[in-house]
Amino acid sequence: RPVQSPHRRPRPQPWQTAHWLGQPGVARRRRGRVQSASGIGSIYCPAMPTPPPAATRDLDPPAVAAVLRRLARADAPPWLHGEVARRMAERLAIVKLQPQRVVDWWSFLGAGHALLAAAYPNARLCRVEPDKALVARSEAAARRPWWSPGRLRGPVADVQSEVAPLAPGAQLVWANMVLHAVADPPALFARWHEALDVDGFVMFSCLGPGTLRELRALYARLGWPTPAADFVAMHDLGDMLVHAGFADPVMDQETLTLQWKDARALLAELRTLGGNGAPGRFAGLRTPRWRARLEAELSALAGPDGALSLSFEIAYGHAFKAAPWARPAEATTVSLDAMRSMARTPRRRAGS
Protein backbone atom coordinates (compact mmCIF):
# COMPACT_ATOMS: atom_id res chain seq x y z
CA ARG A 1 0.00 0.00 0.00
CA PRO A 2 1.43 3.41 -0.93
CA VAL A 3 2.39 5.46 2.12
CA GLN A 4 2.75 9.23 2.29
CA SER A 5 5.83 10.35 4.19
CA PRO A 6 5.60 12.78 7.14
CA HIS A 7 7.66 15.44 5.33
CA ARG A 8 6.43 19.00 5.89
CA ARG A 9 7.29 22.33 4.33
CA PRO A 10 8.92 24.86 6.67
CA ARG A 11 6.39 27.41 5.43
CA PRO A 12 2.97 25.87 4.69
CA GLN A 13 1.29 26.81 1.43
CA PRO A 14 -2.53 26.98 1.68
CA TRP A 15 -3.00 26.31 -2.02
CA GLN A 16 -1.14 23.00 -1.90
CA THR A 17 -3.50 20.17 -1.11
CA ALA A 18 -3.03 16.57 -0.03
CA HIS A 19 -0.97 14.70 -2.60
CA TRP A 20 -2.47 12.06 -4.87
CA LEU A 21 -1.34 8.47 -4.46
CA GLY A 22 -1.61 5.93 -7.27
CA GLN A 23 -4.77 3.84 -7.40
CA PRO A 24 -5.18 0.55 -9.24
CA GLY A 25 -7.38 0.64 -12.30
CA VAL A 26 -7.92 -0.78 -15.78
CA ALA A 27 -8.27 1.16 -19.02
CA ARG A 28 -9.08 -0.26 -22.44
CA ARG A 29 -7.60 1.21 -25.61
CA ARG A 30 -8.40 0.52 -29.24
CA ARG A 31 -4.96 -1.03 -29.91
CA GLY A 32 -5.22 -3.63 -27.19
CA ARG A 33 -5.74 -4.01 -23.48
CA VAL A 34 -3.90 -1.64 -21.19
CA GLN A 35 -3.80 -2.75 -17.58
CA SER A 36 -2.74 -0.15 -15.02
CA ALA A 37 -0.94 -1.52 -11.96
CA SER A 38 -0.74 0.62 -8.86
CA GLY A 39 2.70 1.97 -8.10
CA ILE A 40 4.52 3.91 -5.41
CA GLY A 41 3.43 7.44 -4.56
CA SER A 42 4.81 9.65 -1.81
CA ILE A 43 6.16 13.04 -0.96
CA TYR A 44 9.83 12.69 -1.80
CA CYS A 45 12.05 13.33 1.23
CA PRO A 46 15.71 12.52 0.42
CA ALA A 47 18.26 11.80 3.09
CA MET A 48 20.54 14.75 3.71
CA PRO A 49 23.14 15.36 2.60
CA THR A 50 22.83 13.70 -0.82
CA PRO A 51 25.49 13.68 -3.53
CA PRO A 52 24.64 15.52 -6.75
CA PRO A 53 22.87 13.23 -9.25
CA ALA A 54 24.58 12.21 -12.48
CA ALA A 55 24.48 15.10 -14.92
CA THR A 56 24.11 13.33 -18.25
CA ARG A 57 22.63 10.12 -19.63
CA ASP A 58 24.09 7.75 -22.19
CA LEU A 59 22.09 8.84 -25.24
CA ASP A 60 22.99 9.28 -28.90
CA PRO A 61 21.76 12.82 -29.82
CA PRO A 62 21.68 12.21 -33.61
CA ALA A 63 19.59 9.09 -33.08
CA VAL A 64 17.16 10.96 -30.81
CA ALA A 65 16.93 13.80 -33.35
CA ALA A 66 16.15 11.30 -36.13
CA VAL A 67 13.34 9.80 -34.04
CA LEU A 68 11.89 13.27 -33.38
CA ARG A 69 11.93 14.09 -37.11
CA ARG A 70 10.12 10.83 -37.88
CA LEU A 71 7.49 11.39 -35.19
CA ALA A 72 6.98 14.97 -36.42
CA ARG A 73 5.77 13.56 -39.76
CA ALA A 74 3.11 11.39 -38.12
CA ASP A 75 -0.56 12.29 -38.42
CA ALA A 76 -0.94 12.51 -34.64
CA PRO A 77 1.14 12.19 -31.48
CA PRO A 78 1.78 8.66 -30.14
CA TRP A 79 -1.46 7.42 -28.62
CA LEU A 80 0.36 6.28 -25.47
CA HIS A 81 1.46 9.89 -24.93
CA GLY A 82 -2.16 10.97 -25.15
CA GLU A 83 -3.22 8.36 -22.61
CA VAL A 84 -0.47 9.38 -20.17
CA ALA A 85 -1.36 13.07 -20.71
CA ARG A 86 -4.96 12.32 -19.75
CA ARG A 87 -3.83 10.55 -16.58
CA MET A 88 -1.42 13.35 -15.71
CA ALA A 89 -4.08 16.02 -16.29
CA GLU A 90 -6.17 14.41 -13.55
CA ARG A 91 -3.42 15.46 -11.12
CA LEU A 92 -3.90 19.15 -11.94
CA ALA A 93 -6.96 19.18 -9.69
CA ILE A 94 -4.81 18.70 -6.57
CA VAL A 95 -3.23 22.15 -7.02
CA LYS A 96 -5.39 25.16 -6.19
CA LEU A 97 -3.16 27.62 -8.04
CA GLN A 98 -4.70 28.81 -11.33
CA PRO A 99 -1.76 29.54 -13.66
CA GLN A 100 -1.89 32.63 -15.84
CA ARG A 101 1.02 31.46 -17.99
CA VAL A 102 1.68 27.81 -18.84
CA VAL A 103 4.72 26.37 -20.63
CA ASP A 104 3.91 23.19 -22.58
CA TRP A 105 7.28 21.51 -23.19
CA TRP A 106 7.47 19.45 -26.41
CA SER A 107 3.84 20.27 -26.95
CA PHE A 108 2.97 18.22 -30.04
CA LEU A 109 4.53 14.93 -28.94
CA GLY A 110 3.27 15.49 -25.38
CA ALA A 111 -0.33 15.51 -26.63
CA GLY A 112 -1.49 17.64 -23.70
CA HIS A 113 -2.21 21.03 -25.28
CA ALA A 114 -5.98 20.54 -25.49
CA LEU A 115 -6.09 19.26 -21.90
CA LEU A 116 -4.19 22.32 -20.67
CA ALA A 117 -6.44 24.67 -22.63
CA ALA A 118 -9.49 23.02 -21.08
CA ALA A 119 -8.06 23.10 -17.56
CA TYR A 120 -6.87 26.73 -17.80
CA PRO A 121 -8.98 28.48 -20.46
CA ASN A 122 -7.74 31.96 -19.50
CA ALA A 123 -4.04 31.09 -19.29
CA ARG A 124 -1.47 32.14 -21.86
CA LEU A 125 0.04 28.95 -23.29
CA CYS A 126 3.61 28.75 -24.57
CA ARG A 127 4.31 25.71 -26.73
CA VAL A 128 8.01 24.75 -26.72
CA GLU A 129 9.24 22.35 -29.41
CA PRO A 130 12.57 20.51 -29.87
CA ASP A 131 13.14 21.12 -33.61
CA LYS A 132 12.08 23.27 -36.58
CA ALA A 133 9.60 20.75 -37.99
CA LEU A 134 7.69 20.55 -34.72
CA VAL A 135 7.83 24.34 -34.27
CA ALA A 136 6.22 24.75 -37.70
CA ARG A 137 3.61 22.13 -36.89
CA SER A 138 2.66 23.79 -33.60
CA GLU A 139 2.57 27.23 -35.25
CA ALA A 140 0.11 25.88 -37.83
CA ALA A 141 -2.02 24.33 -35.08
CA ALA A 142 -2.02 27.58 -33.06
CA ARG A 143 -3.05 29.68 -36.06
CA ARG A 144 -6.79 30.39 -36.02
CA PRO A 145 -8.72 31.26 -39.19
CA TRP A 146 -10.48 34.63 -39.20
CA TRP A 147 -13.86 32.90 -39.31
CA SER A 148 -13.13 30.57 -36.39
CA PRO A 149 -15.22 31.14 -33.23
CA GLY A 150 -12.13 30.20 -31.25
CA ARG A 151 -10.52 33.54 -32.17
CA LEU A 152 -12.82 35.18 -29.63
CA ARG A 153 -12.21 32.64 -26.85
CA GLY A 154 -9.03 32.78 -24.82
CA PRO A 155 -5.51 33.93 -25.72
CA VAL A 156 -3.59 32.55 -28.68
CA ALA A 157 -0.72 30.20 -27.84
CA ASP A 158 2.91 31.26 -28.31
CA VAL A 159 5.30 28.84 -30.04
CA GLN A 160 9.08 28.74 -29.71
CA SER A 161 12.07 26.43 -30.06
CA GLU A 162 13.57 24.94 -26.90
CA VAL A 163 16.98 26.43 -27.77
CA ALA A 164 15.51 29.96 -27.56
CA PRO A 165 15.62 31.76 -24.19
CA LEU A 166 12.58 31.02 -22.07
CA ALA A 167 10.83 34.05 -20.64
CA PRO A 168 10.35 33.97 -16.86
CA GLY A 169 7.03 34.40 -15.11
CA ALA A 170 5.30 31.06 -15.73
CA GLN A 171 3.19 29.42 -13.03
CA LEU A 172 3.23 25.94 -14.60
CA VAL A 173 5.73 24.00 -16.69
CA TRP A 174 4.08 20.89 -18.16
CA ALA A 175 6.25 18.18 -19.77
CA ASN A 176 4.53 14.95 -20.75
CA MET A 177 6.67 11.98 -21.89
CA VAL A 178 9.75 14.15 -22.46
CA LEU A 179 12.53 13.40 -19.97
CA HIS A 180 13.37 9.90 -21.21
CA ALA A 181 14.56 11.53 -24.48
CA VAL A 182 16.68 14.19 -22.72
CA ALA A 183 20.42 13.65 -22.24
CA ASP A 184 20.82 16.11 -19.34
CA PRO A 185 17.69 16.16 -17.11
CA PRO A 186 19.32 18.24 -14.30
CA ALA A 187 20.09 21.04 -16.75
CA LEU A 188 16.50 20.96 -18.00
CA PHE A 189 15.14 21.05 -14.44
CA ALA A 190 17.30 24.12 -13.83
CA ARG A 191 15.80 25.85 -16.89
CA TRP A 192 12.30 25.07 -15.71
CA HIS A 193 13.11 26.40 -12.25
CA GLU A 194 14.31 29.70 -13.72
CA ALA A 195 11.18 30.01 -15.88
CA LEU A 196 8.78 29.63 -12.94
CA ASP A 197 7.48 32.26 -10.57
CA VAL A 198 7.77 31.60 -6.85
CA ASP A 199 5.06 29.08 -5.87
CA GLY A 200 4.76 27.98 -9.49
CA PHE A 201 5.04 24.26 -10.17
CA VAL A 202 6.36 21.75 -12.66
CA MET A 203 4.45 18.61 -13.63
CA PHE A 204 5.99 15.91 -15.81
CA SER A 205 5.91 12.26 -16.82
CA CYS A 206 8.41 9.95 -18.51
CA LEU A 207 9.32 6.32 -19.05
CA GLY A 208 10.96 4.50 -16.15
CA PRO A 209 13.52 1.65 -15.93
CA GLY A 210 10.84 -1.07 -15.99
CA THR A 211 9.84 -0.13 -19.54
CA LEU A 212 10.23 -2.94 -22.11
CA ARG A 213 11.72 -5.29 -19.54
CA GLU A 214 10.43 -8.31 -21.51
CA LEU A 215 12.11 -7.07 -24.69
CA ARG A 216 15.34 -6.26 -22.84
CA ALA A 217 15.44 -9.78 -21.40
CA LEU A 218 14.88 -11.26 -24.86
CA TYR A 219 17.72 -9.25 -26.41
CA ALA A 220 20.06 -10.14 -23.53
CA ARG A 221 19.27 -13.85 -23.90
CA LEU A 222 20.08 -13.71 -27.61
CA GLY A 223 23.28 -11.74 -27.02
CA TRP A 224 22.01 -8.67 -28.89
CA PRO A 225 22.66 -5.03 -27.95
CA THR A 226 20.06 -3.23 -25.86
CA PRO A 227 16.73 -2.45 -27.61
CA ALA A 228 16.35 0.89 -25.78
CA ALA A 229 18.34 3.41 -23.78
CA ASP A 230 18.40 3.11 -20.00
CA PHE A 231 15.76 5.24 -18.29
CA VAL A 232 16.19 7.24 -15.08
CA ALA A 233 14.72 5.82 -11.87
CA MET A 234 11.92 7.70 -10.15
CA HIS A 235 13.90 8.50 -7.00
CA ASP A 236 16.86 9.76 -9.02
CA LEU A 237 14.50 12.23 -10.67
CA GLY A 238 13.45 13.34 -7.19
CA ASP A 239 17.11 13.94 -6.31
CA MET A 240 17.54 16.03 -9.45
CA LEU A 241 14.51 18.16 -8.58
CA VAL A 242 15.87 18.84 -5.10
CA HIS A 243 19.29 19.81 -6.43
CA ALA A 244 17.66 22.11 -9.00
CA GLY A 245 16.04 24.04 -6.16
CA PHE A 246 12.50 22.66 -6.23
CA ALA A 247 10.56 22.07 -3.00
CA ASP A 248 8.35 19.14 -2.00
CA PRO A 249 8.93 16.87 -5.02
CA VAL A 250 6.16 14.27 -5.30
CA MET A 251 6.99 11.16 -7.33
CA ASP A 252 4.84 8.16 -8.17
CA GLN A 253 4.78 5.51 -10.86
CA GLU A 254 2.55 2.94 -12.48
CA THR A 255 3.15 0.13 -14.95
CA LEU A 256 0.99 -0.14 -18.07
CA THR A 257 0.89 -3.53 -19.77
CA LEU A 258 0.16 -3.29 -23.49
CA GLN A 259 -0.98 -6.32 -25.48
CA TRP A 260 -0.96 -7.16 -29.20
CA LYS A 261 -2.32 -10.00 -31.25
CA ASP A 262 1.02 -10.83 -32.93
CA ALA A 263 4.68 -9.81 -33.19
CA ARG A 264 4.21 -7.83 -36.39
CA ALA A 265 1.57 -5.58 -34.80
CA LEU A 266 3.77 -5.16 -31.71
CA LEU A 267 6.82 -4.02 -33.69
CA ALA A 268 4.76 -1.71 -35.89
CA GLU A 269 3.32 0.09 -32.90
CA LEU A 270 6.63 0.31 -31.06
CA ARG A 271 7.94 2.30 -34.02
CA THR A 272 5.13 4.83 -33.62
CA LEU A 273 6.02 5.31 -29.94
CA GLY A 274 9.66 6.32 -30.46
CA GLY A 275 12.99 4.68 -31.19
CA ASN A 276 16.25 3.37 -29.79
CA GLY A 277 18.58 6.18 -28.71
CA ALA A 278 21.16 3.97 -26.99
CA PRO A 279 24.73 4.46 -28.31
CA GLY A 280 25.33 0.71 -28.02
CA ARG A 281 22.42 -0.28 -30.26
CA PHE A 282 22.84 -2.35 -33.43
CA ALA A 283 24.97 -0.49 -35.99
CA GLY A 284 23.28 -0.12 -39.36
CA LEU A 285 20.09 -1.64 -40.69
CA ARG A 286 18.92 -5.17 -39.87
CA THR A 287 18.25 -7.80 -42.54
CA PRO A 288 14.87 -9.41 -43.31
CA ARG A 289 16.24 -12.67 -41.89
CA TRP A 290 17.03 -10.96 -38.57
CA ARG A 291 13.55 -9.42 -38.53
CA ALA A 292 11.97 -12.85 -39.08
CA ARG A 293 13.95 -14.30 -36.18
CA LEU A 294 12.91 -11.42 -33.91
CA GLU A 295 9.25 -11.99 -34.76
CA ALA A 296 9.63 -15.72 -34.08
CA GLU A 297 11.31 -15.10 -30.70
CA LEU A 298 8.60 -12.62 -29.73
CA SER A 299 5.84 -15.01 -30.76
CA ALA A 300 7.29 -17.60 -28.38
CA LEU A 301 6.55 -15.20 -25.50
CA ALA A 302 2.79 -15.19 -26.14
CA GLY A 303 0.54 -15.82 -23.16
CA PRO A 304 -2.19 -18.49 -22.86
CA ASP A 305 -4.58 -16.26 -24.82
CA GLY A 306 -2.05 -15.86 -27.64
CA ALA A 307 -1.45 -12.18 -26.94
CA LEU A 308 1.99 -10.58 -26.63
CA SER A 309 2.58 -8.22 -23.71
CA LEU A 310 5.12 -5.49 -22.97
CA SER A 311 5.46 -3.39 -19.83
CA PHE A 312 5.76 0.39 -19.77
CA GLU A 313 6.73 1.98 -16.47
CA ILE A 314 5.40 5.55 -16.30
CA ALA A 315 6.95 7.88 -13.73
CA TYR A 316 5.04 11.02 -12.68
CA GLY A 317 6.39 13.97 -10.74
CA HIS A 318 5.53 17.46 -9.64
CA ALA A 319 7.30 20.00 -7.47
CA PHE A 320 7.00 23.66 -6.47
CA LYS A 321 9.36 26.60 -6.67
CA ALA A 322 9.68 27.85 -3.11
CA ALA A 323 10.60 31.37 -2.07
CA PRO A 324 14.37 31.79 -1.70
CA TRP A 325 15.66 31.26 1.81
CA ALA A 326 17.20 34.22 3.61
CA ARG A 327 20.89 33.50 4.10
CA PRO A 328 21.75 33.56 7.84
CA ALA A 329 24.54 35.73 9.14
CA GLU A 330 27.94 34.09 9.28
CA ALA A 331 28.32 34.84 13.01
CA THR A 332 26.23 36.20 15.88
CA THR A 333 28.01 38.01 18.73
CA VAL A 334 26.56 37.99 22.26
CA SER A 335 28.43 39.68 25.08
CA LEU A 336 29.21 37.84 28.30
CA ASP A 337 27.14 40.35 30.31
CA ALA A 338 24.12 39.73 28.07
CA MET A 339 24.44 35.98 28.54
CA ARG A 340 24.61 36.42 32.33
CA SER A 341 21.52 38.63 32.22
CA MET A 342 19.57 36.06 30.23
CA ALA A 343 20.62 33.32 32.64
CA ARG A 344 19.42 35.32 35.68
CA THR A 345 16.08 36.36 34.14
CA PRO A 346 13.36 33.82 35.14
CA ARG A 347 11.31 32.41 32.24
CA ARG A 348 7.59 33.20 32.34
CA ARG A 349 5.15 30.37 32.20
CA ALA A 350 2.60 30.29 29.43
CA GLY A 351 -0.51 32.26 30.39
CA SER A 352 1.19 34.15 33.26
Side-chain angles (χ1 to χ4, degrees):
R1 181 180 179 183
V3 177
Q4 182 165 313
S5 76
H7 180 59
R8 294 289 184 270
R9 288 177 63 96
R11 180 171 59 86
Q13 300 294 322
W15 44 265
Q16 294 181 25
T17 63
H19 295 287
W20 181 91
L21 296 179
Q23 299 293 333
V26 176
R28 295 186 180 272
R29 304 298 300 169
R30 58 187 176 87
R31 289 180 174 85
R33 288 183 295 175
V34 181
Q35 295 182 337
S36 172
S38 63
I40 301 172
S42 66
I43 297 180
Y44 186 76
C45 184
M48 298 300 288
T50 57
T56 57
R57 296 174 55 219
D58 197 15
L59 280 178
D60 183 2
V64 174
V67 171
L68 293 177
R69 289 193 299 270
R70 173 166 55 80
L71 295 180
R73 297 190 296 267
D75 295 334
W79 77 266
L80 180 60
H81 292 196
E83 173 63 22
V84 174
R86 181 189 65 78
R87 294 170 182 243
M88 192 164 77
E90 295 174 353
R91 292 161 165 78
L92 291 173
I94 69 176
V95 181
K96 295 181 180 179
L97 177 69
Q98 290 295 307
Q100 297 302 308
R101 184 168 178 269
V102 176
V103 176
D104 184 8
W105 205 267
W106 289 21
S107 178
F108 172 73
L109 294 179
H113 185 76
L115 295 168
L116 291 171
Y120 307 116
N122 297 320
R124 185 83 182 186
L125 299 180
C126 177
R127 305 174 71 161
V128 178
E129 297 293 6
D131 63 17
K132 294 180 179 179
L134 288 167
V135 167
R137 184 154 192 168
S138 286
E139 286 177 341
R143 201 174 298 122
R144 297 174 180 174
W146 65 267
W147 45 262
S148 172
R151 293 179 67 249
L152 305 177
R153 297 197 303 267
V156 179
D158 301 321
V159 182
Q160 72 168 72
S161 170
E162 71 171 346
V163 299
L166 194 61
Q171 290 79 44
L172 168 60
V173 173
W174 165 283
N176 181 49
M177 299 294 278
V178 168
L179 283 172
H180 53 261
V182 174
D184 193 351
L188 187 56
F189 283 151
R191 286 194 68 187
W192 292 347
H193 189 269
E194 292 177 358
L196 285 169
D197 275 343
V198 171
D199 290 340
F201 66 105
V202 61
M203 184 170 286
F204 63 88
S205 65
C206 61
L207 296 176
T211 300
L212 302 179
R213 60 174 179 261
E214 300 88 353
L215 193 60
R216 292 179 189 273
L218 172 64
Y219 272 52
R221 177 171 58 82
L222 297 175
W224 293 350
T226 179
D230 293 332
F231 301 124
V232 182
M234 176 180 70
H235 294 292
D236 290 333
L237 292 172
D239 282 338
M240 295 175 189
L241 286 168
V242 171
H243 284 276
F246 285 98
D248 287 354
V250 179
M251 303 298 303
D252 64 276
Q253 63 88 15
E254 63 180 347
T255 298
L256 306 181
T257 301
L258 278 60
Q259 295 183 331
W260 296 266
K261 62 179 181 180
D262 54 42
R264 184 164 298 183
L266 180 154
L267 294 174
E269 185 159 1
L270 279 186
R271 183 171 174 79
T272 69
L273 298 180
N276 188 354
R281 67 190 183 280
F282 272 121
L285 301 176
R286 299 293 89 204
T287 64
R289 179 179 299 177
W290 179 89
R291 167 76 180 230
R293 184 182 180 188
L294 174 60
E295 291 182 2
E297 295 287 349
L298 286 170
S299 299
L301 301 180
D305 58 354
L308 296 173
S309 301
L310 288 179
S311 301
F312 289 78
E313 178 185 328
I314 311 298
Y316 302 92
H318 71 267
F320 300 90
K321 180 175 180 177
W325 284 69
R327 186 179 296 275
E330 293 184 1
T332 301
T333 303
V334 180
S335 67
L336 184 59
D337 291 339
M339 294 178 63
R340 289 170 177 168
S341 176
M342 287 186 290
R344 289 194 297 264
T345 303
R347 296 180 60 185
R348 293 185 177 182
R349 294 182 179 180
S352 61

